[in-house]
Amino acid sequence: MTLVTTTIAALLGAVIVMLVIVGVRGRIVDYEQEKTTSTALETVHVIKRGTLPPILPGSDDASVQVLNAQARVVASTSDLTGKARIADFRPSEKSVYASRSLCPPHGMDGCMTVVSFRVYQSDGDWIVYAANPLTPWYGSAGLCVFIICGALLVVLMVGIMTWRTVDRTLAPVDAIRAELAEITATESGRRVPVPANRDELRALAESANATLDRLDAAIEQQRRFTSDASHDLRSPITGARTQVEEALMYPEDADWPRVGEAVLGSLDRLNAIVSDLLELARLDASAEPPQDRIDLGELVSTELARTPRDKELRPRLDRNVVVRGDRLRLARLLTNLLDNAERHATERVDVTVRADGDSAVLEVTDDGSGIAPADRERVFQRFARLDEALSRDANGTGLGLPIAREVARAHGGTLTIEDSPRGARFVLRLPLAP
């Protein structure tokens, strides 16, 4: 950035220096032209007064030469004494003044600006020539050096200021980078420093810290999930192993059919946990679900008729409530909600399907004791089970409601627990299909 800025400053400086030199040279040229013209006019005045000497007074402004009507040199400054006429041009018949740039004039060295005046005399027109060195393209060497040195100084100052500004600006970035490089999965609690200035770097640091907060939460959730999954997987394995070991200790006294049934029960529980874990893994890794058009009321009606329930079901299903998604996963979501409601219901479960604006709404409500507001998000955590759920079904996996919520999210919807006069009211909202 410093190099780019300095290069741009140098280019701009070069352009400005050239413009200044051109402007100054124009003023110098005008000034020198005025001096030369003024010297020539003084000589014209002397001619008119009739007091023209053969050797004109020396002048630093210009070299002067006077020609009479016969084009003979009758007067000149000392540097042109004895020399022939320095120029051949003269003003036109309708003009008294003319100017040329000659490189060089006759008998002189270097390029000169030569002005010519026509002077009327009784014996004819006299000509006055005045010559002055031509102004070089850079105007004045001293002034040119001064301007260039000033421009270089400005470019150097711009480079130094840019370097310091960039260094100060990027210092927080270096600190953020260094801190991020130190963060690992085992040291994820660290945070990047937040600059004091309220600028884009502060916003970047705050965003990085917010991302690290979310990563920490995800890591902690993954740790809890791993711990809970290990515990839940270990329980049926340990139970089956214990029963088999006890039976093997006294094989003659063991009730092998009862042992087999107990082991099968543990294996069934283990199979249920593994199946739910695989389903969650697929939901976590899967892309957008298939976009089949599904009548939500028809789907619920089919699923209610497929499996008999122990509790009374009261469906209120509107037709033509169409959504897009995966039929099998939406059926799994409904089954999980019905299983949970039946487990906690006293006598009946109400199932409602309706349209609400741009959303399709599915409600499953039981008439049980309900869920306290403080626990309404907890029940959607993986392997989280309330005390009442454990007392009603000790063999549950604690993954049914988390799976249901992940299915809802995969379909662009939400699954929440809302207020109800009695029992728990699970509300699923999905976008209606166009």
Side-chain angles (χ1 to χ4, degrees):
M1 186 178 295
T2 303
L3 180 61
V4 171
T5 304
T6 305
T7 302
I8 293 175
L11 293 175
L12 290 176
V15 172
I16 293 173
V17 166
M18 291 302 300
L19 292 176
V20 171
I21 289 176
V22 169
V24 171
R25 181 184 181 278
R27 299 295 298 273
I28 293 175
V29 168
D30 293 341
Y31 176 71
E32 294 295 335
Q33 186 85 2
E34 289 178 3
K35 289 198 305 179
T36 305
T37 302
S38 177
T39 301
L41 288 175
E42 290 176 0
T43 304
V44 171
H45 179 67
V46 172
I47 294 173
K48 284 295 186 180
R49 291 179 59 184
T51 58
L52 180 68
I55 303 298
L56 297 174
S59 174
D60 294 334
D61 296 336
S63 299
V64 182
Q65 192 178 67
V66 180
L67 278 66
N68 62 12
Q70 288 75 36
R72 290 183 300 168
V73 177
V74 295
S76 64
T77 53
S78 59
D79 58 324
L80 296 179
T81 302
K83 294 184 179 181
R85 59 189 297 176
I86 61 175
D88 296 328
F89 72 94
R90 59 173 56 200
S92 64
E93 295 296 331
K94 297 181 180 180
S95 175
V96 297
Y97 171 80
S99 176
R100 297 283 190 279
S101 294
L102 302 179
C103 291
H106 301 309
M108 303 185 73
D109 297 326
C111 295
M112 298 276 184
T113 298
V114 181
V115 298
S116 172
F117 278 92
R118 182 190 299 274
V119 184
Y120 176 74
Q121 293 290 88
S122 58
D123 59 342
D125 293 339
W126 289 29
I127 301 297
V128 176
Y129 291 110
N132 199 33
L134 192 66
T135 303
W137 66 268
Y138 50 82
S140 169
L143 180 62
C144 183
V145 171
F146 175 78
I147 294 174
I148 292 176
C149 290
L152 291 176
L153 180 61
V154 171
V155 171
L156 179 62
M157 292 178 62
V158 168
I160 294 174
M161 293 178 63
T162 303
W163 176 272
R164 296 183 60 185
T165 302
V166 172
D167 188 59
R168 288 197 304 267
T169 302
L170 296 182
V173 177
D174 290 336
I176 292 172
R177 179 196 56 78
E179 189 66 25
L180 287 175
E182 296 294 329
I183 295 176
T184 62
T186 57
E187 296 184 9
S188 59
R190 302 172 65 169
R191 294 294 179 268
V192 301
V194 179
N197 297 332
R198 294 189 173 276
D199 52 13
E200 291 79 2
L201 291 179
R202 182 186 179 94
L204 173 63
E206 291 175 346
S207 298
N209 284 337
T211 301
L212 291 173
D213 288 339
R214 292 192 294 270
L215 288 175
D216 275 353
I219 291 173
E220 182 60 28
Q221 182 181 4
Q222 187 67 26
R223 287 171 179 167
R224 290 198 304 268
F225 175 78
T226 303
S227 176
D228 294 339
S230 301
H231 177 270
D232 278 56
L233 288 172
R234 192 182 297 114
S235 296
I237 295 175
T238 302
R241 181 183 180 88
T242 300
Q243 291 165 344
V244 172
E245 286 178 347
E246 289 179 354
L248 289 176
M249 290 176 64
Y250 307 99
E252 299 83 1
D253 300 332
D255 185 355
W256 287 104
R258 183 182 62 81
V259 173
E261 291 178 358
V263 172
L264 284 176
S266 297
L267 292 176
D268 288 340
R269 172 172 168 75
L270 184 62
N271 181 68
I273 295 174
V274 172
S275 298
D276 287 344
L277 287 174
L278 290 175
E279 180 64 21
L280 280 173
R282 284 192 291 266
L283 287 170
D284 290 339
S286 64
E288 185 178 354
Q291 296 298 302
D292 300 329
R293 291 179 62 87
I294 302 169
D295 188 319
L296 194 58
E298 180 183 345
L299 175 66
V300 173
S301 178
T302 302
E303 293 301 318
L304 292 180
R306 178 175 302 179
T307 305
R309 298 283 176 176
D310 296 335
K311 305 294 172 59
E312 178 186 1
L313 294 178
R314 293 186 179 180
R316 291 189 297 274
L317 311 177
D318 292 346
R319 297 294 180 178
N320 297 321
V321 180
V322 180
V323 298
R324 287 188 179 275
D326 188 331
R327 179 178 294 273
L328 292 178
R329 286 187 174 174
L330 289 177
R332 175 70 181 273
L333 182 154
L334 174 63
T335 301
N336 289 359
L337 292 181
L338 291 176
D339 290 344
N340 179 77
E342 187 178 33
R343 189 160 47 246
H344 295 87
T346 302
E347 295 181 355
R348 76 170 192 271
V349 176
D350 295 325
V351 183
T352 304
V353 172
R354 58 185 172 85
D356 182 12
D358 294 334
S359 300
V361 180
L362 166 65
E363 296 183 6
V364 178
T365 308
D366 61 68
D367 60 352
S369 58
I371 300 175
D375 295 328
R376 289 181 179 177
E377 283 300 315
R378 183 184 164 201
V379 298
F380 291 108
Q381 296 177 3
R382 299 177 183 186
F383 292 109
R385 305 190 67 197
L386 304 181
D387 294 338
E388 182 183 354
L390 287 172
S391 62
R392 290 178 177 269
D393 184 9
N395 293 323
T397 65
L399 295 174
L401 293 179
I403 289 175
R405 171 165 279 189
E406 291 301 323
V407 172
R409 287 176 176 172
H411 286 76
T414 60
L415 177 60
T416 57
I417 302 175
E418 299 185 4
D419 294 335
S420 176
R422 183 181 178 185
R425 175 168 164 250
F426 287 80
V427 180
L428 168 69
R429 285 184 170 83
L430 298 174
L432 282 173

